[in-house]
């Protein structure tokens, strides 16, 4: 494998054999848990500062509006950690899909099911929103730790692992790790899939893949990198190992199909969750990526600045994808490319930064490009500042996270 910051893993050197030398159970104790804890706290401090800023701005704007239009309702709506998608997940966990309407079907059921399972504990009933936030923030810690574990198993040195931890925690879209979003859970499951694939623990990949398919609609894209890894040495292994590999490949599609089966039973339409997601006000129908980008760029000159702001980020992710193709195993690049294609073929680019952030190989590439201390410091300061900006705009309802 060509790489200037990864050492070849055992899966690349001898794909038909289980890897040797990767971190086993004891490897968890050698992870930089203190640094992961500091980064976890930093994300919440910065997000809290963003909320305080948004609250102050909303108060000032509301006061000015009331002075000019005392009888009118203020157009500014401050939201919090349970705003946007988090509100939908809270509603689904508390009332089910029937209680939130057909629009709620675009949110896959794994996170609401976990929240509902936890709220069964005596004393937690009626605290769905708080339970969601506590659960997501706990999972966020495990996600970053698991990502550090995977980075180590791929051959990254301690300094690179440290960069992965901080970049994952302070990237501008990382404020959703504090909100009631699926990013933390999705990230953990995606890391689990690749950890299983790359270390030939096919059962781990299958379990995480099944849950990933129940977590988000793009979970089905994990079938492709799983197939690529499963084909390595497929003809040289025993029948039981072949079956385990096939299970790992099919698991994300099985999770996706389970939700579709439920939709068929409940609504007589297995594809209804996707139909809802493809509405123009949401992800939109399939479109020409070039036309989508051109329309977003023109939006800057037509007063749609929020849409135009997606373009520089998408350009950055395309550059990182090119670097990824030269430095990371092919399965990572394939998954990242499919995710980027899914983003760019939608007519609505809202949340595109968050979708790309949820594709963790971009964080691994960014860690490789920030090896110099001065570069890393600048990048982290810029990331933290932009995290405040984007989170504040989201809390003010001006940016779709």
């Amino acid at each position: 494998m060509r790489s200037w910051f990864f050492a070849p893993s055992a899966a690349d050197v001898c794909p038909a054999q289980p890897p040797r030398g990767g971190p086993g159970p004891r490897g968890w104790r050698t992870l930089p848990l203190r640094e992961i804890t500091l980064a976890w706290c930093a994300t919440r401090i910065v997000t809290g500062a963003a909320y305080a800023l948004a609250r102050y701005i909303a108060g000032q704007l509301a006061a000015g509006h009331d002075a000019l239009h005392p009888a009118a309702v203020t157009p500014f709506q401050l939201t919090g950690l349970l705003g946007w998608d988090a509100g939908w997940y809270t509603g689904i966990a508390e009332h089910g899909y029937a209680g939130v309407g057909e629009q709620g079907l675009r949110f896959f059921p794994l996170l609401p099911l976990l929240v509902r399972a936890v709220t069964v504990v005596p004393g937690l009933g009626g605290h769905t929103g708080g339970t969601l936030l506590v659960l997501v923030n706990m999972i966020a810690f495990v996600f970053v730790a698991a990502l550090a574990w995977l980075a180590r198993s791929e051959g990254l040195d301690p300094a690179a692992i440290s960069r992965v931890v901080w970049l994952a925690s302070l990237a501008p879209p990382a404020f959703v790790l504090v909100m009631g979003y699926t990013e933390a859970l999705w990230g953990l499951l995606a890391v689990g899939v690749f950890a299983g694939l790359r270390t030939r623990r096919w059962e781990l990949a299958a379990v995480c893949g099944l849950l990933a398919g129940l977590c988000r609609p793009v979970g089905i894209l994990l079938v492709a990198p799983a197939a690529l890894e499963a084909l390595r040495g497929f003809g040289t292994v025993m029948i039981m190992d072949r079956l385990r590999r096939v299970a790992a490949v099919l698991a994300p599609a099985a999770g996706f199909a389970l939700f579709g089966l439920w939709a068929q039973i409940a609504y007589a339409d297995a594809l209804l969750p996707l139909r809802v997601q493809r509405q123009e006000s949401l992800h939109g129908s399939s479109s020409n990526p070039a036309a989508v980008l051109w329309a977003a760029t023109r939006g800057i000159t037509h007063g749609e600045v929020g849409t135009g702001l997606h373009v520089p980020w998408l350009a950055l992710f395309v550059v990182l994808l090119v670097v990824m193709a030269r430095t990371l195993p092919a399965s990572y690049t394939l998954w990242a490319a499919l995710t980027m294609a899914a983003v760019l073929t939608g007519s609505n680019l809202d949340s595109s930064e968050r979708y790309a952030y949820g594709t963790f190989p971009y964080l691994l590439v960014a860690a490789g490009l920030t090896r110099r201390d001065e570069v890393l410091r600048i990048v982290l300061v810029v990331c933290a500042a932009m995290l405040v900006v984007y989170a504040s705009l989201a809390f003010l309802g001006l940016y779709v996270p």
Side-chain angles (χ1 to χ4, degrees):
M1 178 176 58
R2 295 174 299 166
S3 176
W4 35 265
F5 61 95
F6 276 100
S9 72
D12 296 302
V13 175
C14 188
Q17 299 296 327
R20 302 178 186 273
R26 289 183 299 175
W28 288 101
R29 294 198 292 269
T30 64
L31 290 177
L33 294 180
R34 180 176 178 274
E35 196 161 17
I36 293 170
T37 302
L38 290 174
W40 184 90
C41 292
T43 307
R44 277 129 199 94
I45 291 171
V46 175
T47 303
Y51 179 74
L53 176 61
R55 189 179 182 86
Y56 172 78
I57 294 173
Q60 294 297 111
L61 293 175
H65 179 270
D66 291 342
L68 294 173
H69 309 283
V73 177
T74 175
F76 306 107
Q77 185 76 37
L78 181 69
T79 186
L81 299 180
L82 290 174
W84 296 101
D85 291 7
W88 287 97
Y89 286 118
T90 303
I92 294 169
E94 192 166 356
H95 306 292
Y97 285 100
V100 299
E102 189 175 282
Q103 288 290 312
L105 288 171
R106 70 183 189 271
F107 300 101
F108 274 42
L110 182 61
L111 183 58
L113 286 174
L114 288 177
V115 173
R116 176 169 287 190
V118 174
T119 54
V120 172
V121 176
L124 293 181
H127 300 283
T128 305
T131 300
L132 171 63
L133 291 178
V134 171
L135 183 63
V136 164
N137 279 270
M138 291 173 60
I139 294 174
F141 183 92
V142 182
F143 158 57
V144 176
L147 182 57
W149 186 96
L150 179 62
R152 181 184 169 186
S153 74
E154 289 287 7
L156 271 71
D157 59 35
I161 294 173
S162 174
R163 296 194 296 272
V164 170
V165 167
W166 284 102
L167 289 168
S169 302
L170 292 180
F175 67 91
V176 294
L177 296 180
V178 189
M179 299 178 68
Y181 271 59
T182 59
E183 249 57 37
L185 179 60
W186 164 255
L188 177 60
L189 293 173
V191 168
V193 168
F194 276 89
L197 295 175
R198 297 289 296 159
T199 62
R200 296 333 191 215
R201 295 178 173 92
W202 303 109
E203 294 85 354
L204 173 63
V207 171
C208 290
L210 179 68
L211 295 176
L214 286 167
C215 184
R216 294 172 73 169
V218 291
I220 197 170
L221 298 181
L222 290 167
V223 168
L228 188 61
E229 291 288 348
L231 286 173
R232 293 175 181 264
F234 188 83
T236 64
V237 297
M238 303 296 290
I239 184 64
M240 289 305 299
D241 190 63
R242 293 185 184 184
L243 292 176
R244 286 192 289 269
R245 293 176 182 226
V246 171
V249 172
L250 297 180
F256 184 93
L258 282 175
F259 189 43
L261 177 62
W262 176 87
Q264 177 65 38
I265 295 172
Y267 295 92
D269 187 351
L271 297 180
L272 185 57
L274 292 184
R275 297 187 201 281
V276 173
Q277 185 66 47
R278 287 167 60 86
Q279 294 177 4
E280 289 300 320
S281 60
L282 301 173
H283 182 64
S285 57
S286 298
S287 304
N288 184 333
V292 172
L293 288 174
W294 174 243
T297 304
R298 291 181 66 245
I300 298 177
T301 61
H302 289 73
E304 300 175 2
V305 179
T307 300
L309 287 177
H310 297 304
V311 177
W313 286 108
L314 291 172
L316 173 62
F317 285 120
V318 169
V319 171
L320 292 178
L321 184 62
V322 173
V323 177
M324 190 186 305
R326 297 176 58 85
T327 56
L328 266 64
S331 53
Y332 289 108
T333 306
L334 176 60
W335 180 47
L338 290 174
T339 302
M340 183 58 60
V343 170
L344 292 178
T345 54
S347 58
N348 190 339
L349 292 178
D350 286 344
S351 304
S352 54
E353 296 88 1
R354 176 170 62 88
Y355 296 145
Y357 168 77
T359 312
F360 68 83
Y362 287 113
L363 297 170
L364 301 181
V365 173
L369 295 174
T370 53
R371 288 174 294 171
R372 296 175 58 183
D373 289 343
E374 58 271 24
V375 173
L376 178 63
R377 284 193 292 268
I378 293 173
V379 168
L380 290 181
V381 169
V382 171
C383 282
M386 298 194 71
L387 193 156
V388 170
V389 171
Y390 277 93
S392 299
L393 291 175
F395 291 140
L396 288 169
L398 301 176
Y399 170 76
V400 182

